[in-house]
Amino acid sequence: MAKIKGAVVVDTERCKGCNLCVVACPTNVLALATQVNSKGYNYSYMEQENACVGCSTCAFVCPDACITVYKVKLDK
Amino acid sequence: MSQTNSSINEIIKPENLVYKKPSVLNDNPMHYCPGCSHGVVHKLLAEIIGEMDIQEDVIGIAPVGCAVFAYKYLDIDFQQAAHGRAPALATAIKRLMPEKYVFTYQGDGDLAAIGTSETIHACNRGENIVIIYINNGIYGMTGGQMAPTTIEGMKSSTCPFGRDISLNGYPLNITDLLVRLEGTRYVTRQSVHTSAAVRKTKKAIQKAFVYSMEGKGTSIVEIVSTCNSGWKMTPEGANDWMVENMFPVYSIGDLKDI
Ligand SMILES: Cc1ncc(C[n+]2csc(CCOP(=O)(O)OP(=O)(O)O)c2C)c(N)n1
Ligand code: SF4
Ligand code: SF4
Ligand code: SF4
């Protein structure tokens, strides 16, 4: 069966740590980092990398367009 | 760890790209507070303008309010307007350049308070413009004062104990009023708090842009929004509060489409 796998890249300098992507992700991939960017925001990152399905929900709700989404179908 | 990383790197390749920041939204960091609905709507406008391939054919007008600097982020022609006057300016621009897509981008303090007259008369004349109306129930830019749209019981810096109808009057549901005007063609109320809502709002704005070229009247897209700073809530808390308290007053969906 084909398995969908996704990955996101967060523009950590653009991110304002609003947490909206974190709560929107249906598979709880994202979290806010303990580190901060140059403006002092705890940016979003993939905490559970393997859980991402590339659905783009996080990217749709992000007010600052920080998230790039990739998706592949793996035949298994 | 390294194994996980390598499998992630297998996915992060140009051929697997499914979403990225629209290019019409430039790289300037937006000044909006973290989690502000304005950002989501800017992003949608950029996506739509890019996908419709109208970057050279669209003119935006942003009056006073938090979004007064919209021109810094959207890579299109822009005009600033005095507080409340965007529909008047849009009228002139569209009449002089009917081949352009012309939209205003207004807050509720702008559209439903100081600009009430311009809003109603532009819509009543059936100007072929798009009005993007961000209703966060508050004057965001100036520190969260009560607006005509502030709902009953909602706290603001000028009604810290909540809007009191007997003292402050009723919340003004101006979009419902605009439905009644002969000049409006498309009136819809949307939101951007979930990915499904974001997609619906995108379709609504797209439709409004298309309609604005058909000469059949004004299109208004109200977006019930949050101002988490002014509301003194977290961004996610503001979204929840909006769903629970704003949606019963400002119901989501198409109000007119002819
Ligand atoms: C003629 C005039 N009156 C008052 C102001 C002060 N002022 C600036 S922004 C604003 C309210 C904006 O609120 P809204 O339109 O709801 O937009 P938001 O900031 O909430 O996005 C006011 C009253 C002004 N700039 N010009
Ligand atoms: S693409 Fe979907 S699954 Fe992946 S992080 Fe974003 S919301 Fe979560
Ligand atoms: S929604 Fe965007 S700005 Fe907010 S935390 Fe996520 S990536 Fe950062
Ligand atoms: S004050 Fe309110 S409307 Fe203005 S940028 Fe901040 S959250 Fe957005």
PDB file of all heavy atoms in Angstrom, chain B residues 92-121:
ATOM      1  N   ALA B  92     -13.055  55.850  -7.522  1.00  0.00           N
ATOM      2  CA  ALA B  92     -12.374  56.666  -8.522  1.00  0.00           C
ATOM      3  C   ALA B  92     -11.414  55.824  -9.353  1.00  0.00           C
ATOM      4  O   ALA B  92     -11.394  55.907 -10.591  1.00  0.00           O
ATOM      5  CB  ALA B  92     -11.623  57.799  -7.824  1.00  0.00           C
ATOM      6  N   ILE B  93     -10.625  54.997  -8.671  1.00  0.00           N
ATOM      7  CA  ILE B  93      -9.616  54.201  -9.386  1.00  0.00           C
ATOM      8  C   ILE B  93     -10.284  53.245 -10.370  1.00  0.00           C
ATOM      9  O   ILE B  93      -9.890  53.141 -11.527  1.00  0.00           O
ATOM     10  CB  ILE B  93      -8.720  53.456  -8.378  1.00  0.00           C
ATOM     11  CG1 ILE B  93      -7.867  54.476  -7.590  1.00  0.00           C
ATOM     12  CG2 ILE B  93      -7.825  52.433  -9.072  1.00  0.00           C
ATOM     13  CD1 ILE B  93      -7.058  53.886  -6.452  1.00  0.00           C
ATOM     14  N   LYS B  94     -11.338  52.572  -9.915  1.00  0.00           N
ATOM     15  CA  LYS B  94     -12.007  51.599 -10.784  1.00  0.00           C
ATOM     16  C   LYS B  94     -12.693  52.291 -11.969  1.00  0.00           C
ATOM     17  O   LYS B  94     -12.691  51.784 -13.086  1.00  0.00           O
ATOM     18  CB  LYS B  94     -13.021  50.791  -9.962  1.00  0.00           C
ATOM     19  CG  LYS B  94     -13.774  49.736 -10.741  1.00  0.00           C
ATOM     20  CD  LYS B  94     -12.884  48.574 -11.159  1.00  0.00           C
ATOM     21  CE  LYS B  94     -13.674  47.522 -11.942  1.00  0.00           C
ATOM     22  NZ  LYS B  94     -12.828  46.395 -12.341  1.00  0.00           N
ATOM     23  N   ARG B  95     -13.257  53.464 -11.723  1.00  0.00           N
ATOM     24  CA  ARG B  95     -13.932  54.166 -12.820  1.00  0.00           C
ATOM     25  C   ARG B  95     -12.929  54.672 -13.855  1.00  0.00           C
ATOM     26  O   ARG B  95     -13.209  54.686 -15.057  1.00  0.00           O
ATOM     27  CB  ARG B  95     -14.759  55.326 -12.273  1.00  0.00           C
ATOM     28  CG  ARG B  95     -16.028  54.821 -11.594  1.00  0.00           C
ATOM     29  CD  ARG B  95     -16.892  55.933 -11.102  1.00  0.00           C
ATOM     30  NE  ARG B  95     -18.119  55.406 -10.506  1.00  0.00           N
ATOM     31  CZ  ARG B  95     -19.269  56.051 -10.489  1.00  0.00           C
ATOM     32  NH1 ARG B  95     -19.373  57.245 -11.030  1.00  0.00           N
ATOM     33  NH2 ARG B  95     -20.334  55.511  -9.930  1.00  0.00           N
ATOM     34  N   LEU B  96     -11.752  55.079 -13.369  1.00  0.00           N
ATOM     35  CA  LEU B  96     -10.731  55.558 -14.305  1.00  0.00           C
ATOM     36  C   LEU B  96     -10.028  54.412 -15.015  1.00  0.00           C
ATOM     37  O   LEU B  96      -9.568  54.549 -16.142  1.00  0.00           O
ATOM     38  CB  LEU B  96      -9.697  56.416 -13.566  1.00  0.00           C
ATOM     39  CG  LEU B  96     -10.195  57.793 -13.131  1.00  0.00           C
ATOM     40  CD1 LEU B  96      -9.245  58.416 -12.129  1.00  0.00           C
ATOM     41  CD2 LEU B  96     -10.402  58.705 -14.322  1.00  0.00           C
ATOM     42  N   MET B  97      -9.924  53.279 -14.305  1.00  0.00           N
ATOM     43  CA  MET B  97      -9.223  52.131 -14.882  1.00  0.00           C
ATOM     44  C   MET B  97     -10.074  50.874 -14.736  1.00  0.00           C
ATOM     45  O   MET B  97      -9.771  49.985 -13.933  1.00  0.00           O
ATOM     46  CB  MET B  97      -7.873  51.950 -14.178  1.00  0.00           C
ATOM     47  CG  MET B  97      -6.884  53.037 -14.535  1.00  0.00           C
ATOM     48  SD  MET B  97      -5.298  52.797 -13.713  1.00  0.00           S
ATOM     49  CE  MET B  97      -5.581  53.678 -12.208  1.00  0.00           C
ATOM     50  N   PRO B  98     -11.156  50.801 -15.518  1.00  0.00           N
ATOM     51  CA  PRO B  98     -12.077  49.660 -15.345  1.00  0.00           C
ATOM     52  C   PRO B  98     -11.443  48.318 -15.672  1.00  0.00           C
ATOM     53  O   PRO B  98     -11.975  47.274 -15.297  1.00  0.00           O
ATOM     54  CB  PRO B  98     -13.220  49.995 -16.320  1.00  0.00           C
ATOM     55  CG  PRO B  98     -12.686  51.025 -17.255  1.00  0.00           C
ATOM     56  CD  PRO B  98     -11.610  51.758 -16.539  1.00  0.00           C
ATOM     57  N   GLU B  99     -10.301  48.360 -16.360  1.00  0.00           N
ATOM     58  CA  GLU B  99      -9.644  47.094 -16.710  1.00  0.00           C
ATOM     59  C   GLU B  99      -8.858  46.516 -15.530  1.00  0.00           C
ATOM     60  O   GLU B  99      -8.365  45.392 -15.598  1.00  0.00           O
ATOM     61  CB  GLU B  99      -8.744  47.292 -17.943  1.00  0.00           C
ATOM     62  CG  GLU B  99      -7.446  48.071 -17.728  1.00  0.00           C
ATOM     63  CD  GLU B  99      -7.613  49.596 -17.554  1.00  0.00           C
ATOM     64  OE1 GLU B  99      -8.753  50.095 -17.558  1.00  0.00           O
ATOM     65  OE2 GLU B  99      -6.584  50.279 -17.404  1.00  0.00           O
ATOM     66  N   LYS B 100      -8.739  47.258 -14.457  1.00  0.00           N
ATOM     67  CA  LYS B 100      -7.993  46.782 -13.281  1.00  0.00           C
ATOM     68  C   LYS B 100      -8.912  46.104 -12.267  1.00  0.00           C
ATOM     69  O   LYS B 100     -10.079  46.476 -12.132  1.00  0.00           O
ATOM     70  CB  LYS B 100      -7.299  47.958 -12.577  1.00  0.00           C
ATOM     71  CG  LYS B 100      -6.276  48.694 -13.427  1.00  0.00           C
ATOM     72  CD  LYS B 100      -4.992  47.905 -13.560  1.00  0.00           C
ATOM     73  CE  LYS B 100      -3.935  48.739 -14.285  1.00  0.00           C
ATOM     74  NZ  LYS B 100      -2.741  47.962 -14.624  1.00  0.00           N
ATOM     75  N   TYR B 101      -8.371  45.154 -11.560  1.00  0.00           N
ATOM     76  CA  TYR B 101      -9.043  44.576 -10.399  1.00  0.00           C
ATOM     77  C   TYR B 101      -8.765  45.523  -9.229  1.00  0.00           C
ATOM     78  O   TYR B 101      -7.598  45.781  -8.917  1.00  0.00           O
ATOM     79  CB  TYR B 101      -8.465  43.207 -10.053  1.00  0.00           C
ATOM     80  CG  TYR B 101      -8.726  42.122 -11.066  1.00  0.00           C
ATOM     81  CD1 TYR B 101      -7.974  42.022 -12.238  1.00  0.00           C
ATOM     82  CD2 TYR B 101      -9.708  41.158 -10.827  1.00  0.00           C
ATOM     83  CE1 TYR B 101      -8.203  41.009 -13.157  1.00  0.00           C
ATOM     84  CE2 TYR B 101      -9.942  40.134 -11.731  1.00  0.00           C
ATOM     85  CZ  TYR B 101      -9.196  40.073 -12.895  1.00  0.00           C
ATOM     86  OH  TYR B 101      -9.418  39.064 -13.807  1.00  0.00           O
ATOM     87  N   VAL B 102      -9.799  46.052  -8.608  1.00  0.00           N
ATOM     88  CA  VAL B 102      -9.603  47.036  -7.539  1.00  0.00           C
ATOM     89  C   VAL B 102     -10.240  46.515  -6.249  1.00  0.00           C
ATOM     90  O   VAL B 102     -11.417  46.134  -6.240  1.00  0.00           O
ATOM     91  CB  VAL B 102     -10.221  48.395  -7.939  1.00  0.00           C
ATOM     92  CG1 VAL B 102     -10.067  49.402  -6.804  1.00  0.00           C
ATOM     93  CG2 VAL B 102      -9.576  48.921  -9.218  1.00  0.00           C
ATOM     94  N   PHE B 103      -9.437  46.477  -5.188  1.00  0.00           N
ATOM     95  CA  PHE B 103     -10.002  46.037  -3.907  1.00  0.00           C
ATOM     96  C   PHE B 103      -9.602  46.966  -2.779  1.00  0.00           C
ATOM     97  O   PHE B 103      -8.551  47.597  -2.820  1.00  0.00           O
ATOM     98  CB  PHE B 103      -9.574  44.591  -3.597  1.00  0.00           C
ATOM     99  CG  PHE B 103      -8.137  44.408  -3.178  1.00  0.00           C
ATOM    100  CD1 PHE B 103      -7.780  44.412  -1.829  1.00  0.00           C
ATOM    101  CD2 PHE B 103      -7.134  44.216  -4.121  1.00  0.00           C
ATOM    102  CE1 PHE B 103      -6.463  44.236  -1.433  1.00  0.00           C
ATOM    103  CE2 PHE B 103      -5.810  44.039  -3.732  1.00  0.00           C
ATOM    104  CZ  PHE B 103      -5.475  44.048  -2.387  1.00  0.00           C
ATOM    105  N   THR B 104     -10.479  47.047  -1.773  1.00  0.00           N
ATOM    106  CA  THR B 104     -10.122  47.741  -0.537  1.00  0.00           C
ATOM    107  C   THR B 104      -9.860  46.686   0.531  1.00  0.00           C
ATOM    108  O   THR B 104     -10.336  45.555   0.435  1.00  0.00           O
ATOM    109  CB  THR B 104     -11.253  48.668  -0.043  1.00  0.00           C
ATOM    110  OG1 THR B 104     -12.363  47.862   0.386  1.00  0.00           O
ATOM    111  CG2 THR B 104     -11.700  49.632  -1.123  1.00  0.00           C
ATOM    112  N   TYR B 105      -9.095  47.086   1.524  1.00  0.00           N
ATOM    113  CA  TYR B 105      -8.770  46.166   2.624  1.00  0.00           C
ATOM    114  C   TYR B 105      -8.980  46.947   3.913  1.00  0.00           C
ATOM    115  O   TYR B 105      -8.181  47.796   4.267  1.00  0.00           O
ATOM    116  CB  TYR B 105      -7.317  45.700   2.485  1.00  0.00           C
ATOM    117  CG  TYR B 105      -6.926  44.643   3.490  1.00  0.00           C
ATOM    118  CD1 TYR B 105      -6.819  43.311   3.113  1.00  0.00           C
ATOM    119  CD2 TYR B 105      -6.664  44.973   4.820  1.00  0.00           C
ATOM    120  CE1 TYR B 105      -6.472  42.335   4.036  1.00  0.00           C
ATOM    121  CE2 TYR B 105      -6.319  44.004   5.741  1.00  0.00           C
ATOM    122  CZ  TYR B 105      -6.222  42.693   5.341  1.00  0.00           C
ATOM    123  OH  TYR B 105      -5.878  41.731   6.268  1.00  0.00           O
ATOM    124  N   GLN B 106     -10.121  46.720   4.581  1.00  0.00           N
ATOM    125  CA  GLN B 106     -10.535  47.600   5.672  1.00  0.00           C
ATOM    126  C   GLN B 106     -10.852  46.856   6.961  1.00  0.00           C
ATOM    127  O   GLN B 106     -11.417  45.768   6.936  1.00  0.00           O
ATOM    128  CB  GLN B 106     -11.804  48.366   5.234  1.00  0.00           C
ATOM    129  CG  GLN B 106     -11.654  49.107   3.918  1.00  0.00           C
ATOM    130  CD  GLN B 106     -12.958  49.755   3.490  1.00  0.00           C
ATOM    131  OE1 GLN B 106     -13.591  49.324   2.535  1.00  0.00           O
ATOM    132  NE2 GLN B 106     -13.368  50.794   4.209  1.00  0.00           N
ATOM    133  N   GLY B 107     -10.506  47.484   8.071  1.00  0.00           N
ATOM    134  CA  GLY B 107     -10.899  46.952   9.375  1.00  0.00           C
ATOM    135  C   GLY B 107     -12.308  47.397   9.722  1.00  0.00           C
ATOM    136  O   GLY B 107     -12.917  48.219   9.018  1.00  0.00           O
ATOM    137  N   ASP B 108     -12.819  46.891  10.834  1.00  0.00           N
ATOM    138  CA  ASP B 108     -14.186  47.246  11.232  1.00  0.00           C
ATOM    139  C   ASP B 108     -14.256  48.669  11.782  1.00  0.00           C
ATOM    140  O   ASP B 108     -15.249  49.371  11.576  1.00  0.00           O
ATOM    141  CB  ASP B 108     -14.738  46.246  12.253  1.00  0.00           C
ATOM    142  CG  ASP B 108     -13.790  46.004  13.410  1.00  0.00           C
ATOM    143  OD1 ASP B 108     -12.641  45.623  13.148  1.00  0.00           O
ATOM    144  OD2 ASP B 108     -14.185  46.200  14.568  1.00  0.00           O
ATOM    145  N   GLY B 109     -13.195  49.099  12.464  1.00  0.00           N
ATOM    146  CA  GLY B 109     -13.183  50.482  12.934  1.00  0.00           C
ATOM    147  C   GLY B 109     -13.220  51.433  11.753  1.00  0.00           C
ATOM    148  O   GLY B 109     -13.806  52.513  11.802  1.00  0.00           O
ATOM    149  N   ASP B 110     -12.612  50.995  10.664  1.00  0.00           N
ATOM    150  CA  ASP B 110     -12.546  51.809   9.456  1.00  0.00           C
ATOM    151  C   ASP B 110     -13.864  51.737   8.674  1.00  0.00           C
ATOM    152  O   ASP B 110     -14.511  52.750   8.417  1.00  0.00           O
ATOM    153  CB  ASP B 110     -11.381  51.291   8.594  1.00  0.00           C
ATOM    154  CG  ASP B 110     -11.157  52.140   7.360  1.00  0.00           C
ATOM    155  OD1 ASP B 110     -10.458  53.156   7.468  1.00  0.00           O
ATOM    156  OD2 ASP B 110     -11.700  51.795   6.302  1.00  0.00           O
ATOM    157  N   LEU B 111     -14.262  50.508   8.347  1.00  0.00           N
ATOM    158  CA  LEU B 111     -15.409  50.311   7.450  1.00  0.00           C
ATOM    159  C   LEU B 111     -16.753  50.599   8.118  1.00  0.00           C
ATOM    160  O   LEU B 111     -17.670  51.110   7.480  1.00  0.00           O
ATOM    161  CB  LEU B 111     -15.360  48.877   6.912  1.00  0.00           C
ATOM    162  CG  LEU B 111     -16.448  48.429   5.936  1.00  0.00           C
ATOM    163  CD1 LEU B 111     -15.869  47.511   4.882  1.00  0.00           C
ATOM    164  CD2 LEU B 111     -17.604  47.734   6.649  1.00  0.00           C
ATOM    165  N   ALA B 112     -16.849  50.246   9.420  1.00  0.00           N
ATOM    166  CA  ALA B 112     -18.165  50.318  10.069  1.00  0.00           C
ATOM    167  C   ALA B 112     -18.283  51.479  11.053  1.00  0.00           C
ATOM    168  O   ALA B 112     -19.287  51.602  11.735  1.00  0.00           O
ATOM    169  CB  ALA B 112     -18.458  48.998  10.784  1.00  0.00           C
ATOM    170  N   ALA B 113     -17.236  52.313  11.159  1.00  0.00           N
ATOM    171  CA  ALA B 113     -17.346  53.479  12.038  1.00  0.00           C
ATOM    172  C   ALA B 113     -17.105  54.726  11.195  1.00  0.00           C
ATOM    173  O   ALA B 113     -18.021  55.235  10.550  1.00  0.00           O
ATOM    174  CB  ALA B 113     -16.356  53.375  13.203  1.00  0.00           C
ATOM    175  N   ILE B 114     -15.861  55.165  11.117  1.00  0.00           N
ATOM    176  CA  ILE B 114     -15.580  56.431  10.421  1.00  0.00           C
ATOM    177  C   ILE B 114     -15.917  56.362   8.931  1.00  0.00           C
ATOM    178  O   ILE B 114     -16.248  57.372   8.314  1.00  0.00           O
ATOM    179  CB  ILE B 114     -14.100  56.849  10.671  1.00  0.00           C
ATOM    180  CG1 ILE B 114     -13.853  58.302  10.254  1.00  0.00           C
ATOM    181  CG2 ILE B 114     -13.136  55.904  10.000  1.00  0.00           C
ATOM    182  CD1 ILE B 114     -12.495  58.838  10.723  1.00  0.00           C
ATOM    183  N   GLY B 115     -15.869  55.156   8.352  1.00  0.00           N
ATOM    184  CA  GLY B 115     -16.119  55.019   6.912  1.00  0.00           C
ATOM    185  C   GLY B 115     -17.499  54.490   6.562  1.00  0.00           C
ATOM    186  O   GLY B 115     -17.739  54.084   5.424  1.00  0.00           O
ATOM    187  N   THR B 116     -18.415  54.494   7.501  1.00  0.00           N
ATOM    188  CA  THR B 116     -19.757  53.937   7.248  1.00  0.00           C
ATOM    189  C   THR B 116     -20.395  54.542   5.998  1.00  0.00           C
ATOM    190  O   THR B 116     -20.940  53.824   5.150  1.00  0.00           O
ATOM    191  CB  THR B 116     -20.688  54.198   8.458  1.00  0.00           C
ATOM    192  OG1 THR B 116     -20.010  53.796   9.639  1.00  0.00           O
ATOM    193  CG2 THR B 116     -21.985  53.445   8.328  1.00  0.00           C
ATOM    194  N   SER B 117     -20.302  55.839   5.891  1.00  0.00           N
ATOM    195  CA  SER B 117     -20.931  56.520   4.765  1.00  0.00           C
ATOM    196  C   SER B 117     -20.323  56.082   3.436  1.00  0.00           C
ATOM    197  O   SER B 117     -21.046  55.733   2.488  1.00  0.00           O
ATOM    198  CB  SER B 117     -20.786  58.028   4.975  1.00  0.00           C
ATOM    199  OG  SER B 117     -21.157  58.711   3.827  1.00  0.00           O
ATOM    200  N   GLU B 118     -18.988  56.096   3.379  1.00  0.00           N
ATOM    201  CA  GLU B 118     -18.310  55.695   2.124  1.00  0.00           C
ATOM    202  C   GLU B 118     -18.662  54.254   1.767  1.00  0.00           C
ATOM    203  O   GLU B 118     -18.881  53.916   0.606  1.00  0.00           O
ATOM    204  CB  GLU B 118     -16.792  55.818   2.266  1.00  0.00           C
ATOM    205  CG  GLU B 118     -16.252  57.215   2.104  1.00  0.00           C
ATOM    206  CD  GLU B 118     -16.528  58.099   3.314  1.00  0.00           C
ATOM    207  OE1 GLU B 118     -16.999  57.574   4.342  1.00  0.00           O
ATOM    208  OE2 GLU B 118     -16.281  59.310   3.224  1.00  0.00           O
ATOM    209  N   THR B 119     -18.693  53.397   2.782  1.00  0.00           N
ATOM    210  CA  THR B 119     -18.995  51.984   2.546  1.00  0.00           C
ATOM    211  C   THR B 119     -20.394  51.840   1.948  1.00  0.00           C
ATOM    212  O   THR B 119     -20.588  51.209   0.904  1.00  0.00           O
ATOM    213  CB  THR B 119     -18.937  51.204   3.884  1.00  0.00           C
ATOM    214  OG1 THR B 119     -17.658  51.403   4.478  1.00  0.00           O
ATOM    215  CG2 THR B 119     -19.181  49.722   3.669  1.00  0.00           C
ATOM    216  N   ILE B 120     -21.365  52.427   2.629  1.00  0.00           N
ATOM    217  CA  ILE B 120     -22.755  52.258   2.211  1.00  0.00           C
ATOM    218  C   ILE B 120     -22.988  52.872   0.825  1.00  0.00           C
ATOM    219  O   ILE B 120     -23.621  52.253  -0.041  1.00  0.00           O
ATOM    220  CB  ILE B 120     -23.706  52.867   3.267  1.00  0.00           C
ATOM    221  CG1 ILE B 120     -23.690  51.966   4.513  1.00  0.00           C
ATOM    222  CG2 ILE B 120     -25.125  53.026   2.720  1.00  0.00           C
ATOM    223  CD1 ILE B 120     -24.555  52.431   5.654  1.00  0.00           C
ATOM    224  N   HIS B 121     -22.431  54.039   0.589  1.00  0.00           N
ATOM    225  CA  HIS B 121     -22.706  54.674  -0.709  1.00  0.00           C
ATOM    226  C   HIS B 121     -21.974  53.988  -1.859  1.00  0.00           C
ATOM    227  O   HIS B 121     -22.530  53.878  -2.955  1.00  0.00           O
ATOM    228  CB  HIS B 121     -22.417  56.169  -0.639  1.00  0.00           C
ATOM    229  CG  HIS B 121     -23.461  56.891   0.148  1.00  0.00           C
ATOM    230  ND1 HIS B 121     -24.770  56.985  -0.285  1.00  0.00           N
ATOM    231  CD2 HIS B 121     -23.431  57.486   1.352  1.00  0.00           C
ATOM    232  CE1 HIS B 121     -25.488  57.634   0.625  1.00  0.00           C
ATOM    233  NE2 HIS B 121     -24.703  57.946   1.631  1.00  0.00           N
TER     234      HIS B 121
END
